[in-house]
Amino acid sequence: MSVELLKEKWSNTINTLTIGGTGTRTSKVTVGGESTLPYLFNEGDIPNKPVIAMEIFDAEPVDWPEVLKEPFKDVFKNSAEWAKKCVNEYKAELLCLKLQGTHPDFGNASTDKAAEVVKSVLEAVGVPLIVLGCGNDDKDNEVLPKCCEAAKGENCLFGDATEKNYKTLTAACLADGHNIIGESPIDINIAKQVNILISDMGFDINKIAMNPTIGALGYGMEYAYSIMERARLAALMGDKMLSMPFICFVGNEAWRAKEAKGPQAEHPEWGTEKERGPVWEATTAVSVLLAGAGILVMRHPKAIEIVRGTIERLMKKG
Amino acid sequence: MLVIGELINGMFKNVGKAIANKDKSVIQKLAKEQAEAGAGMLDVNVGPAAADAVGAMKWLVETIQEVTDTPLCLDSTKPNVIEEGLKLIKNKAMINSTTADKEKLDVLLPMAKQYGAGLIGLTMDKKGIPRDRHQRSEFAAVIISASMEAGLGHEDIYLDPIILPVNVAQPQSLEVLEAIREFSLLSDPPPKTVVGLSNVSQGTENRSLINRTFLVMALALGLKGAIMDPLDKELMDAAICAELILNKHIYCASFLDAYRKK
């Protein structure tokens, strides 16, 4: 006697978000569109595979450990070169430019300088671009609108809008036709609220990505996982204000962990950080993939290689 | 929950007049307003005074469908009035309603099946409205087993335990609430329930408060739908809030706004 498996039928699908594909972009990436839980191909459609965005900066990163700096040593001084290296050497299909150098504590680069960097990266490569502020609200509200304007027509993804600071960036993205990231502090209620606030300004909900904030392996990863899972369940059951694809800043979280970056000299029993760091980042990435992540922002080429392989295997149906 | 907008009913003076004068604008305005306010379905009742009930039903269905795709709930005690309406339906429809009487079930169940429509089953028979929850459950069981035999799906049947005005038959409100709970034990998955909400406050002084209080209590006991006034914002807010507390949707500061964006 054959056993018939009970299949779940959902009433809603995840929004489809496209970055790039316009202006001078020579490619685009599309995420979202799922009508089922992650990788349950038998219960619905998963039209788009998750993508990895390689993270680049506008200045030499201040807190990166040696093992993470090594592959990019020759390009730190020039974001355009860094971008080229990611695309040409590491086959990045999406880049994420963090304007860390504009932060008052980390160089305080000017608005014009930031806009120039954005332009130079767009000129250097044809892949779609994510642009992030430095995290200082006042500075971001000054810098990001200029950068939106500099990238007008390129259909970028800009971030992050938060519950307390979303109006300026939303208005800028609206004016210049970009997508936007809504950020919440591992809190499903605030995630939903941020999406409502953005959409109340007339923003198309299909152009919003959700940054639920994650914790790395060992630092609350399972908590982030359960928040993402709950949001995804609610979305599939019909909650339009939680139906945005997730973007997860895996590299940023994983490389803060001492287990990832701590040198072997200090922790002899942990083994070499050359292996350990990338594996820590890859493990964190795979976990959020399974929770439904659509975009992974990552750093180490080796971790990226591992996760690319995992995505390929996960997307093989059956 | 399924909100079935109650305002297109010939019993209301403005609607009765519009039907008599074939004034489309009144009906279409009510249809659009109710749909925008969150009605998932619109009740359509020609009222007791319509000279030509069939003609009025056909005109109402066509008039409403010109401006909205919201499914319609065709409300009449006369099966032929409902059937003529069903013939014109573009979207999914519901029949409002059958009783547990065999002669009604024998006509309306095949009709629901034929037109792919849902059906509201009043838990009563020609002898009248039951006096308690137990009789209601007996009628509910009759309706459910007949509908299963007729090949209707679980999702197509809504049981209505029939509310009476609280100022006329006060003990009945509790019986209805308990009946909603008891119905849920009749099958797995449990049958869906619906009430004609406004009846509870008929003839009372503070209708809106009574309506929304009853609705919240009924939702807590498992009610799935109500024929009600979606333009009563406080009533709609109370329903949304009740569903929030029942963990049907995820909280956020603007939860009313979020629900309405669905």
Short mmCIF file of all heavy atoms in Angstrom, two decimals, chain A residues 163 188-189 192-193 196 199-200 230-231 234 238-242, chain B residues 244 247-259 261-262:
data_model
loop_
_atom_site.label_atom_id
_atom_site.label_comp_id
_atom_site.label_asym_id
_atom_site.label_seq_id
_atom_site.Cartn_x
_atom_site.Cartn_y
_atom_site.Cartn_z
N GLU A 163 12.81 51.43 12.01
CA GLU A 163 11.55 51.96 12.54
C GLU A 163 11.68 53.44 12.90
O GLU A 163 10.76 54.22 12.73
CB GLU A 163 11.14 51.15 13.78
CG GLU A 163 9.73 51.44 14.26
CD GLU A 163 9.37 50.69 15.54
OE1 GLU A 163 10.28 50.20 16.23
OE2 GLU A 163 8.17 50.61 15.85
N ILE A 188 10.01 40.22 15.07
CA ILE A 188 9.04 40.06 13.98
C ILE A 188 8.01 41.18 13.97
O ILE A 188 7.55 41.62 12.92
CB ILE A 188 8.35 38.67 14.08
CG1 ILE A 188 7.60 38.37 12.79
CG2 ILE A 188 7.45 38.57 15.30
CD1 ILE A 188 7.14 36.94 12.68
N ASN A 189 7.64 41.68 15.15
CA ASN A 189 6.64 42.74 15.23
C ASN A 189 7.18 44.03 14.61
O ASN A 189 6.47 44.74 13.89
CB ASN A 189 6.22 42.99 16.68
CG ASN A 189 5.81 41.70 17.38
OD1 ASN A 189 6.36 41.33 18.40
ND2 ASN A 189 4.85 41.00 16.80
N LYS A 192 7.48 43.77 10.76
CA LYS A 192 6.20 44.04 10.10
C LYS A 192 5.91 45.54 10.10
O LYS A 192 5.48 46.11 9.10
CB LYS A 192 5.10 43.27 10.82
CG LYS A 192 3.75 43.32 10.17
CD LYS A 192 2.79 42.30 10.79
CE LYS A 192 1.37 42.51 10.31
NZ LYS A 192 0.45 41.51 10.84
N GLN A 193 6.17 46.18 11.23
CA GLN A 193 5.90 47.61 11.36
C GLN A 193 6.74 48.42 10.37
O GLN A 193 6.23 49.35 9.74
CB GLN A 193 6.19 48.06 12.80
CG GLN A 193 5.86 49.51 13.10
CD GLN A 193 4.36 49.81 13.04
OE1 GLN A 193 3.54 48.90 12.95
NE2 GLN A 193 4.01 51.08 13.07
N ILE A 196 5.29 48.27 7.00
CA ILE A 196 4.08 49.10 6.88
C ILE A 196 4.45 50.57 6.75
O ILE A 196 3.91 51.29 5.91
CB ILE A 196 3.17 48.90 8.11
CG1 ILE A 196 2.56 47.52 8.06
CG2 ILE A 196 2.08 49.95 8.16
CD1 ILE A 196 1.91 47.11 9.34
N SER A 199 5.69 51.19 3.30
CA SER A 199 4.64 51.10 2.27
C SER A 199 3.62 52.22 2.41
O SER A 199 3.02 52.64 1.44
CB SER A 199 3.97 49.72 2.29
OG SER A 199 3.15 49.60 3.42
N ASP A 200 3.45 52.72 3.64
CA ASP A 200 2.53 53.85 3.84
C ASP A 200 3.00 55.11 3.13
O ASP A 200 2.22 56.04 2.91
CB ASP A 200 2.38 54.15 5.35
CG ASP A 200 1.27 53.31 5.98
OD1 ASP A 200 0.53 52.66 5.22
OD2 ASP A 200 1.16 53.30 7.22
N ARG A 230 8.97 32.05 11.52
CA ARG A 230 7.64 32.51 11.89
C ARG A 230 7.13 33.55 10.89
O ARG A 230 5.96 33.54 10.50
CB ARG A 230 7.68 33.11 13.30
CG ARG A 230 6.34 33.12 13.94
CD ARG A 230 6.38 33.38 15.42
NE ARG A 230 5.11 33.96 15.79
CZ ARG A 230 4.96 35.05 16.53
NH1 ARG A 230 6.02 35.65 17.01
NH2 ARG A 230 3.79 35.51 16.80
N ALA A 231 8.03 34.43 10.47
CA ALA A 231 7.64 35.44 9.48
C ALA A 231 7.25 34.77 8.17
O ALA A 231 6.27 35.14 7.53
CB ALA A 231 8.79 36.42 9.25
N ALA A 234 3.83 33.12 8.44
CA ALA A 234 2.76 34.12 8.40
C ALA A 234 2.59 34.64 6.98
O ALA A 234 1.47 34.83 6.50
CB ALA A 234 3.09 35.28 9.34
N GLY A 238 -0.70 34.41 4.29
CA GLY A 238 -1.44 35.56 3.76
C GLY A 238 -1.03 36.93 4.28
O GLY A 238 -1.63 37.92 3.89
N ASP A 239 -0.03 37.01 5.13
CA ASP A 239 0.37 38.31 5.67
C ASP A 239 1.27 39.05 4.68
O ASP A 239 2.46 38.78 4.56
CB ASP A 239 1.10 38.14 7.00
CG ASP A 239 1.19 39.45 7.77
OD1 ASP A 239 1.26 40.51 7.11
OD2 ASP A 239 1.19 39.42 9.01
N LYS A 240 0.65 40.00 3.97
CA LYS A 240 1.38 40.73 2.92
C LYS A 240 2.51 41.58 3.49
O LYS A 240 3.45 41.92 2.79
CB LYS A 240 0.41 41.64 2.16
CG LYS A 240 -0.67 40.90 1.43
CD LYS A 240 -0.29 40.68 -0.02
CE LYS A 240 -1.41 40.05 -0.81
NZ LYS A 240 -1.03 38.80 -1.44
N MET A 241 2.38 41.96 4.74
CA MET A 241 3.39 42.84 5.32
C MET A 241 4.60 42.07 5.87
O MET A 241 5.46 42.64 6.51
CB MET A 241 2.75 43.71 6.41
CG MET A 241 1.90 44.80 5.82
SD MET A 241 2.86 45.89 4.73
CE MET A 241 1.70 46.10 3.39
N LEU A 242 4.59 40.77 5.64
CA LEU A 242 5.78 39.97 5.98
C LEU A 242 6.22 39.12 4.79
O LEU A 242 6.97 38.17 4.93
CB LEU A 242 5.47 39.06 7.19
CG LEU A 242 5.40 39.77 8.55
CD1 LEU A 242 4.83 38.83 9.60
CD2 LEU A 242 6.76 40.27 8.99
N LEU B 244 -6.25 39.19 16.39
CA LEU B 244 -4.87 39.38 16.84
C LEU B 244 -4.64 38.64 18.15
O LEU B 244 -3.67 37.90 18.33
CB LEU B 244 -4.61 40.88 17.03
CG LEU B 244 -3.18 41.23 17.45
CD1 LEU B 244 -2.25 41.19 16.26
CD2 LEU B 244 -3.15 42.60 18.10
N ASN B 247 -4.19 35.10 18.02
CA ASN B 247 -2.93 34.71 17.35
C ASN B 247 -3.15 34.32 15.89
O ASN B 247 -2.44 33.48 15.36
CB ASN B 247 -2.25 33.57 18.11
CG ASN B 247 -0.78 33.43 17.74
OD1 ASN B 247 -0.17 34.39 17.29
ND2 ASN B 247 -0.23 32.24 17.90
N LYS B 248 -4.14 34.96 15.26
CA LYS B 248 -4.39 34.67 13.85
C LYS B 248 -3.47 35.49 12.95
O LYS B 248 -3.28 35.16 11.80
CB LYS B 248 -5.85 34.97 13.49
CG LYS B 248 -6.86 34.12 14.24
CD LYS B 248 -7.22 32.87 13.47
CE LYS B 248 -7.91 31.84 14.30
NZ LYS B 248 -9.28 32.11 14.65
N HIS B 249 -3.01 36.63 13.44
CA HIS B 249 -2.00 37.37 12.69
C HIS B 249 -0.97 37.98 13.62
O HIS B 249 -1.20 38.08 14.82
CB HIS B 249 -2.59 38.41 11.73
CG HIS B 249 -3.91 38.99 12.13
ND1 HIS B 249 -4.02 40.10 12.89
CD2 HIS B 249 -5.18 38.58 11.88
CE1 HIS B 249 -5.29 40.38 13.09
NE2 HIS B 249 -6.03 39.46 12.49
N ILE B 250 0.15 38.36 13.02
CA ILE B 250 1.29 38.78 13.83
C ILE B 250 1.16 40.25 14.22
O ILE B 250 0.85 41.11 13.40
CB ILE B 250 2.59 38.48 13.07
CG1 ILE B 250 2.81 36.97 13.11
CG2 ILE B 250 3.77 39.25 13.64
CD1 ILE B 250 3.98 36.46 12.37
N TYR B 251 1.40 40.51 15.49
CA TYR B 251 1.29 41.86 16.02
C TYR B 251 2.30 42.80 15.40
O TYR B 251 3.43 42.44 15.12
CB TYR B 251 1.50 41.86 17.55
CG TYR B 251 1.55 43.25 18.11
CD1 TYR B 251 0.38 43.94 18.40
CD2 TYR B 251 2.77 43.91 18.29
CE1 TYR B 251 0.42 45.25 18.85
CE2 TYR B 251 2.82 45.23 18.75
CZ TYR B 251 1.64 45.89 19.03
OH TYR B 251 1.68 47.18 19.45
N CYS B 252 1.90 44.05 15.20
CA CYS B 252 2.83 45.15 15.00
C CYS B 252 2.09 46.39 15.46
O CYS B 252 0.88 46.35 15.67
CB CYS B 252 3.26 45.28 13.54
SG CYS B 252 1.96 45.81 12.45
N ALA B 253 2.84 47.50 15.68
CA ALA B 253 2.21 48.68 16.26
C ALA B 253 0.99 49.11 15.43
O ALA B 253 -0.04 49.48 15.99
CB ALA B 253 3.24 49.82 16.36
N SER B 254 1.10 49.06 14.11
CA SER B 254 -0.02 49.47 13.25
C SER B 254 -0.84 48.26 12.81
O SER B 254 -1.10 48.07 11.63
CB SER B 254 0.51 50.20 12.01
OG SER B 254 1.41 51.21 12.36
N PHE B 255 -1.27 47.43 13.77
CA PHE B 255 -1.88 46.16 13.37
C PHE B 255 -3.21 46.32 12.63
O PHE B 255 -3.54 45.51 11.78
CB PHE B 255 -2.01 45.20 14.56
CG PHE B 255 -3.01 45.61 15.61
CD1 PHE B 255 -4.33 45.24 15.52
CD2 PHE B 255 -2.60 46.37 16.70
CE1 PHE B 255 -5.25 45.62 16.48
CE2 PHE B 255 -3.51 46.76 17.67
CZ PHE B 255 -4.84 46.39 17.56
N LEU B 256 -3.95 47.38 12.94
CA LEU B 256 -5.21 47.61 12.22
C LEU B 256 -4.93 47.95 10.76
O LEU B 256 -5.52 47.40 9.84
CB LEU B 256 -6.01 48.74 12.88
CG LEU B 256 -6.56 48.45 14.28
CD1 LEU B 256 -7.11 49.74 14.90
CD2 LEU B 256 -7.63 47.38 14.24
N ASP B 257 -3.99 48.85 10.58
CA ASP B 257 -3.56 49.28 9.26
C ASP B 257 -3.00 48.07 8.48
O ASP B 257 -3.33 47.85 7.31
CB ASP B 257 -2.48 50.36 9.45
CG ASP B 257 -2.01 50.94 8.14
OD1 ASP B 257 -2.71 50.77 7.13
OD2 ASP B 257 -0.94 51.57 8.13
N ALA B 258 -2.19 47.27 9.15
CA ALA B 258 -1.57 46.10 8.51
C ALA B 258 -2.64 45.13 8.04
O ALA B 258 -2.58 44.61 6.93
CB ALA B 258 -0.62 45.41 9.49
N TYR B 259 -3.65 44.90 8.87
CA TYR B 259 -4.71 43.97 8.49
C TYR B 259 -5.45 44.49 7.26
O TYR B 259 -5.77 43.74 6.35
CB TYR B 259 -5.69 43.78 9.65
CG TYR B 259 -6.73 42.73 9.34
CD1 TYR B 259 -6.49 41.39 9.61
CD2 TYR B 259 -7.95 43.07 8.75
CE1 TYR B 259 -7.42 40.42 9.31
CE2 TYR B 259 -8.89 42.10 8.44
CZ TYR B 259 -8.62 40.78 8.74
OH TYR B 259 -9.55 39.82 8.42
N LYS B 261 -4.37 46.23 4.92
CA LYS B 261 -3.56 46.19 3.70
C LYS B 261 -3.54 44.81 3.07
O LYS B 261 -2.95 44.61 2.03
CB LYS B 261 -2.11 46.62 4.02
CG LYS B 261 -1.93 48.12 4.04
CD LYS B 261 -0.48 48.45 4.35
CE LYS B 261 -0.29 49.93 4.60
NZ LYS B 261 -0.21 50.73 3.39
N LYS B 262 -4.14 43.86 3.73
CA LYS B 262 -4.08 42.48 3.23
C LYS B 262 -4.73 42.32 1.87
O LYS B 262 -5.73 42.91 1.58
CB LYS B 262 -4.74 41.51 4.21
CG LYS B 262 -3.77 41.05 5.28
CD LYS B 262 -4.51 40.29 6.33
CE LYS B 262 -4.24 38.80 6.24
NZ LYS B 262 -4.78 38.06 7.36
#
